[in-house]
Amino acid sequence: MKKIPSLTSLWSRPRRILLASVAFTGLLASLVVTGTAGAAETEQPAAGEVGAEAVYVAEFLAECEFSHRAPDDPIIFPGLPGASHSHSFFGSRATNAHTNLGDLLNSTSTCDPNIDLSSYWVPTLFVDGQPVEPQSATFYYLGEGVNDAVVAQTQPLPQGLKIVAGDAVATSPEGTIARWSCLHAGHVNPSQDFVNCPEGTALESYLDFPQCWDGVNLDSPDHKSHMAYPVAGECPSTHPVPVPKLRQVLRYPVNGDPSRFELASGPGYTMHGDFFNAWPEDEMLRRVEDCIRPVIKCGADGIPG
């Protein structure tokens, strides 16, 4: 078990007003995302859009290309190759059913920045029975969904932390956090299941991971209870350590009739994501100090601006 850094030493820096990314946050302006802990958060309009004002953005990110596909899941079915449905992997090229932290730290990555050796995976999307991989996969690390005081106390994600978001065995859209939309088609309402995207647009999936950690465990028997979603802008007392919120955004080069689409796990509302953290500890800390706590927008290099 890892000990967490002290929460008594906070960083205080002047805020800088920066424009938010327009690529996907505009979709979320009217959406309320409900976490497994019962918390609800409302996304704000992206700055730069018509009628939007400049907003504070605490962000760094990793842009990752597709690495490989396999029926493996080193979090849910560790050591059991072929035990899972098909997953599409991003980031570390080494991920398989037997992968541990040491394997990731000694691997290479498909991400920008390539120092991010983390592994990210999702159920494979099938269109007309054929696998289709995202044309882009962006993993945003955000300081949002909690109040300003909590953002200022955000701690680095501990190396080796495993997080699962979404419900692979959901039997209905009710209560699920999976979201689907259409890139460049804002008039199509987001949905928990697949949507019908117009010709010339792309099917988009986005998923928010829990951002409150229990401060002790890097995993748990159900792979979820060591993490929690915030409630009313605060981390619950059972999970007192705020960490950056991971947002997974996938864009697939498909559109049209959603009856042609199926995830390896089932309908669109079974979309889920797995994250195995292998960021270098010093780089994760730097990004939290320079981007998240002072509420500054950073790029893949972790540099403000």
Side-chain angles (χ1 to χ4, degrees):
M1 304 300 177
K2 289 197 175 186
K3 293 184 178 179
I4 63 171
S6 171
L7 295 179
T8 60
S9 177
L10 305 181
W11 284 254
S12 179
R13 302 182 182 184
R15 291 190 169 193
R16 294 166 53 188
I17 297 180
L18 296 170
L19 294 181
S21 301
V22 180
F24 73 97
T25 50
L27 305 167
L28 305 174
S30 62
L31 193 62
V32 175
V33 178
T34 303
T36 55
E41 61 187 59
T42 303
E43 305 295 347
Q44 300 301 315
E49 292 189 341
V50 175
E53 297 179 357
V55 295
Y56 294 108
V57 179
E59 172 187 303
F60 64 92
L61 56 86
E63 296 272 8
C64 305
E65 296 181 359
F66 170 71
S67 173
H68 60 284
R69 188 185 311 122
D72 293 345
D73 190 327
I75 294 180
I76 306 299
F77 297 109
L80 297 173
S84 176
H85 51 249
S86 178
H87 280 112
S88 297
F89 292 87
F90 306 84
S92 172
R93 294 183 172 91
T95 312
N96 58 42
H98 302 284
T99 298
N100 57 37
L101 178 59
D103 297 326
L104 296 182
L105 295 177
N106 288 295
S107 68
T108 58
S109 176
T110 68
C111 292
D112 175 17
N114 59 17
I115 57 168
D116 179 13
L117 299 175
S118 304
S119 185
Y120 310 85
W121 61 97
V122 299
T124 302
L125 174 69
F126 290 86
V127 179
D128 297 326
Q130 297 301 311
V132 175
E133 301 303 341
Q135 60 191 20
S136 69
T138 306
F139 300 93
Y140 295 88
Y141 293 81
L142 304 166
E144 64 173 41
V146 291
N147 63 43
D148 291 350
V150 176
V151 172
Q153 299 178 58
T154 300
Q155 299 298 309
L157 288 153
Q159 202 173 72
L161 182 67
K162 300 174 182 177
I163 314 178
V164 178
D167 187 354
V169 296
T171 57
S172 74
E174 185 177 358
T176 61
I177 63 170
R179 295 294 183 271
W180 295 91
S181 61
C182 304
L183 182 64
H184 304 315
H187 59 283
V188 178
N189 290 330
S191 171
Q192 292 158 302
D193 208 345
F194 298 123
V195 292
N196 192 331
C197 295
E199 185 176 355
T201 67
L203 181 68
E204 185 172 56
S205 165
Y206 47 100
L207 186 69
D208 283 356
F209 285 63
Q211 67 197 95
C212 300
W213 178 41
D214 67 10
V216 178
N217 300 293
L218 299 178
D219 196 5
S220 50
D222 65 358
H223 311 294
K224 288 193 174 184
S225 60
H226 61 301
M227 301 295 299
Y229 288 87
V231 179
E234 301 274 356
C235 281
S237 60
T238 54
H239 297 76
V241 184
V243 295
K245 176 169 75 175
L246 177 63
R247 174 173 293 157
Q248 166 187 295
V249 180
L250 309 174
R251 291 170 183 146
Y252 294 90
V254 299
N255 51 58
D257 184 0
S259 68
R260 302 163 49 224
F261 308 154
E262 184 179 20
L263 293 172
S265 52
Y269 51 77
T270 67
M271 172 55 89
H272 55 284
D274 297 67
F275 169 64
F276 193 159
N277 179 38
W279 278 87
E281 291 178 312
D282 58 340
E283 288 291 339
M284 174 59 69
L285 175 60
R286 181 176 69 81
R287 284 163 168 78
V288 168
E289 291 180 339
D290 293 351
C291 311
I292 302 299
R293 290 176 182 152
V295 190
I296 291 174
K297 180 178 171 63
C298 298
D301 58 5
I303 297 175

